[in-house]
Amino acid sequence: MLDFFRRNSQNGILKYVFGALLFLLMLSFGAWGISDVIRQLSTSQTAPISIGKQTITAGIIQNAVRDDINRISAQTKHPFSTKDALKYGVVNQSIQQLIQKQMFNNEINSMMLTGSNVDVSQEIAKIPAFLNPSTGEFDEKIFKVTLKQNGLTESKFISNIKNTIALNQLKRSIQPLAIPFKSISKIVYNHVNKLYTIQVINIQNNMFKIPAISMDEQKKYYKEHTASYMYPEYRNASAIILDTNEVSKSINVSDEQVKQAYNDNISAYVRPERRSFKQFEFATEKEAKDFQAEVLVSDVYSSAKKYKISSVEFSLMTKEGLPANLQGIVFKTKENLVSDVEKVDDKFDVIYVTKIQKAQTATLESVKNDIIATIRGDKVSQRIEDMKNNALNMLGEGKKIEDIAKALKIKLHTFKNITKNNLDINGKPANVPVNILTKIFSGNATDELNFVPLTTTSYIALRVDNVVKAKAKDFKTVQAQVIKDAHEDKAQAQADKVVATIKDRIIKGDKFEKIASKYHLVTLKDVVGTGPIKGLNIKTKTHLFNQKNQIAVNTFNGVTQVAKIVSSKLNPKLNKADYNNLSSQLVKSISDDMQILYLQQLSIKNKVKVNNKVISALFDK
């Protein structure tokens, strides 16, 4: 799970923010179907949620939802209301997180699992979101600013990391300990990779002699299939899009404002002293002192090799970032020297300091862009609201969308001759974003405008300028295509008759070889059914293996395939890569099943009960 943290934190601290702990847990543990074991309370009970003897009060639920709303607002830089939280499922997610968090905390406490301060320090120092882009090293200022921007306190974040480490330990404890026997994996492999002999009859439509299609037949076919010869509905639309990121760029920030913000928050730009060091732990004081003495006459690397001891390495840690019992010993030891022996918890430690980075204050120039982004972020929500209100006022005055875009100094987006399938009038891709395309085709042509959410960071006011209804193409325009389609349909009708005859003869016991004397017969020997089969259309193959050795029939591109499995046998050859992959899948499948069963049993054990009516009443206002 901590690997998941590190992998995803490049995309921002949002992975810690939106549901901080349990959101990550749910992703890590997969979809744990527990809804069937959570009971609904009767309306006479007033506790919103009960988990065994414990309850989750209305206040806790409201605070959790409020925290999630604040975090989303901080991340997206625009207001996110309780109404939005209900609409987008945030309330339900917050409640599920509270339930799961309580259940797992109960289990963690009962198993006495926790993440140590050392573990926490190491994990935080590795998270890319907190690294300085210039040095690639952990930056405490970036760490604090990032947490602040996302509505998290340092203590709460560290608590989440500790719990996450404990949850990772819990997850490992329920992993299956036994790998399936090789013999079982081999049997499964051989059955999955059976070898089949398949016979296929290919009936080509062009083998049938079809008379010329008369004019009367053409017109009749056109009339019966008019829906196939239609011009699609086209729409033109114009839109104003207020995007947080784009609007933010338009907010001017003066050098004086930057300087003022820098001076007001100078403490946030002070980079404290940092130290890199190796921590050697010994069971007894004598062992520690012997090692220390050896280092003084030799060097730390030779001494470690001689005593066959490894160290825990820390990179550029601040004093505050270390556990209290390590702060003194680390920060009083000089660079490239070893410390005195000191007892830490139940061990005896010797510290070797490898690097000291003196405290320094970041220059205004080095943090200028960050300060500008922060100031813009603080102002962008209000700027968006002001622009929306100005636009709506102008609409009330009868102004057109073109005039509004000009007045607001933003781009007017126009969409010309767009079909519902996102094509232009020439049948080429129009490449209109799907969320905008949906809005273009969600109503009739109108001059009535209003701003509605487009994404989590943007609003759109869209006007459908005109609608060109779908209509049938002129017969003469499509006559050649009508002739071709009518010809194909007649040929296919002949092929269908042949297929019916083949089926009847197979039922009577005739062999494929005898039946296929007039047609093209292909025999596919020793083919594996798990992948594509050369000479067999993918849909034919799907039908064939779904039919369990019955006849499969499939028509595509003027060809009708009739296929039958003649025989099958176990695959005597073992592809090591495929075999190892299958074994891994078996282990993962067992692991996933155990995890789901574990959470279901945990839900039953905790007697989880939810009162939906009480919860709904909390957010009715």
Side-chain angles (χ1 to χ4, degrees), residues 197-328:
T197 296
I198 300 171
Q199 288 186 324
V200 186
I201 297 174
N202 291 303
I203 304 167
Q204 306 277 350
N205 283 359
N206 58 17
M207 67 181 289
F208 302 106
K209 292 183 178 180
I210 305 299
I213 310 297
S214 69
M215 181 59 72
D216 288 342
E217 288 178 311
Q218 293 175 32
K219 290 182 176 180
K220 181 181 178 184
Y221 188 88
Y222 169 78
K223 185 176 181 180
E224 292 174 348
H225 299 84
T226 302
S228 300
Y229 308 105
M230 299 284 291
Y231 289 110
E233 179 182 303
Y234 294 95
R235 292 194 174 198
N236 294 337
S238 304
I240 296 173
I241 298 174
L242 300 180
D243 182 85
T244 300
N245 297 323
E246 291 302 316
V247 172
S248 176
K249 294 175 185 177
S250 70
I251 297 175
N252 295 320
V253 180
S254 68
D255 288 343
E256 188 60 36
Q257 287 176 301
V258 173
K259 186 176 180 180
Q260 184 66 44
Y262 176 77
N263 291 330
D264 289 346
N265 298 280
I266 191 67
S267 61
Y269 304 112
V270 175
R271 182 168 183 168
E273 181 179 317
R274 296 171 179 276
R275 295 189 171 211
S276 297
F277 62 94
K278 297 176 181 289
Q279 178 188 23
F280 296 90
E281 289 187 335
F282 299 88
T284 67
E285 185 177 13
K286 183 179 183 307
E287 289 174 328
K289 287 186 174 181
D290 289 346
F291 173 77
Q292 181 202 34
E294 180 68 28
V295 173
L296 293 175
V297 298
S298 178
D299 64 78
V300 70
Y301 302 101
S302 300
S303 302
K305 185 175 181 181
K306 178 178 178 179
Y307 280 81
K308 298 180 180 179
I309 184 170
S310 59
S311 63
V312 178
E313 296 191 21
F314 294 79
S315 177
L316 295 175
M317 302 295 295
T318 63
K319 189 172 185 178
E320 292 73 19
L322 290 174
N325 53 11
L326 278 180
Q327 292 176 1

Side-chain angles (χ1 to χ4, degrees), residues 145-195:
V145 170
T146 305
L147 292 187
K148 182 179 178 182
Q149 288 175 342
N150 292 282
L152 283 175
T153 63
E154 187 171 341
S155 60
K156 196 168 191 177
F157 184 77
I158 290 174
S159 175
N160 285 344
I161 292 288
K162 279 190 175 184
N163 284 339
T164 302
I165 294 171
L167 286 166
N168 201 32
Q169 295 171 359
L170 178 61
K171 181 185 175 184
R172 287 197 299 269
S173 74
I174 59 174
Q175 294 285 346
L177 300 178
I179 297 176
F181 294 110
K182 289 185 177 181
S183 57
I184 296 176
S185 295
K186 188 171 182 179
I187 291 171
V188 174
Y189 174 88
N190 286 335
H191 276 278
V192 168
N193 293 278
K194 264 187 177 181
L195 298 179

Side-chain angles (χ1 to χ4, degrees), residues 17 103 110 178 185 239 247 262 269 296 319 322 363 373 392 430 460 492 496 527 535 538 595 597-598:
V17 173
M103 288 195 305
S110 68
S185 295
V247 172
Y262 176 77
Y269 304 112
L296 293 175
K319 189 172 185 178
L322 290 174
T363 64
L392 293 173
I460 186 172
Q492 187 59 52
D496 292 343
V527 295
I538 185 66
Q595 290 170 4
L597 180 61
Y598 179 79

